[in-house]
Amino acid sequence: MITYSFLQHYWWFLVSLLGALLVFLMFVQGANSLIFSLGRTPEEQRMVLNSTGRKWELTFTTLVTFGGAFFASFPLFYSTSFGGAYWLWMIILFSFVLQAVSYEFQNKLGNFLGARTMKWFLVLNGILGPLLIGGAVATFFNGSNFLIEKGNLMVMDGAGPIISRWANASNGLDALLDPWNLVLGFAVFYLTRILGILYVMNNVNDENIRSRGSVRLLGCTVVFLILFLAFLVRTLLKDGYAVSPDSGLIMMEPMKYLHNLLAMWPLLIILLVGVVMVLYGIIKTLVSKTYIRGIWPVGIGVVLVVLVLLLIAGWNNTAYYPSNADLQSSLTIQNSCSSEFTLRTMAVVSLLIPFVLAYIAYCWYSLDKKKIDKQEMQQGELY
């Protein structure tokens, strides 16, 4: 018998999986932030752009799907975060719009801004997108300033009931004032650069680009490890937001996220496997001049690690979106989810996901069968 509680946990798993896949697919942003670093000549830059230009729609679509899945399964989070912290999300979405505009009009005759300006749009998206998304995810562990007033559901006015509001006038930008949110934000930024470098090294057949990629891979890895390990250790040792399963009250619990990992020990194993895969892919790429497939072990490892982090933020009676303004306004998978009928109906539709993933994998394979090289640029590039 599929219970309401199972459906709540199932949909948090799907949302977390989409979030993990989004972080992996942001290799597009990571590579774009290094356009002028990996490619010194216009021809080399075109090769990098054509490499990421064949995948950027997947990242954008996953971002939209991630938001849509949150809206359908946990609508109170959607209205609270996307509605209250709208300046943070608007900047994120604006940067992705710049990306789409740049790819579309890069070499069009009507591009009065010039191709170089469009490339800088891609660089801007490559910096702002991962940084702000990482900062937004960090609020799952560090909290945000919002208030929930469910009693307003019974109050009807001309604009309809307002049950959530931001506790200050920053509308989400205050998340950037928390240094630990910035630590994860910059960690995600450097992680996407690592993924971008590995993807371009695998997808572009050019020794100059691969050589520069190896050099920059080492620097990005060192910075990423320092930032990510600092955030991870601090998060596992800090007080977390526990939920009483009986009363639903939110309370602070010492080392809550470490307790979650130990209580759900399979997740701890998955986390360790993911970390090992990330390190293996990076180290083998650095020590072997002929190894160019590091994107795959690192990419899979990133998905596993991010998935576990998001799961321990919501599973095991944990408030996944804590409120720093009012602890009892914190959101849990129980108090912010859709109705049982909605979750059950969507669960049936979700059975189609493996077929969609198989189609994406086939398209990916078809696009990447031939490596991008200078000869292809001479024959005519996409971007």
Side-chain angles (χ1 to χ4, degrees), residues 125-147:
N125 170 247
I127 296 173
L128 288 180
L131 175 62
L132 296 182
I133 288 177
V137 171
T139 62
F140 286 7
F141 301 94
N142 299 323
S144 296
N145 294 300
F146 63 90
L147 296 169

Side-chain angles (χ1 to χ4, degrees), residues 147-154 162-165 326 329:
L147 296 169
I148 301 293
E149 300 172 359
K150 289 191 174 182
N152 286 354
L153 280 173
M154 306 304 296
I162 299 176
I163 62 175
S164 62
R165 60 183 176 86
D326 173 29
S329 291

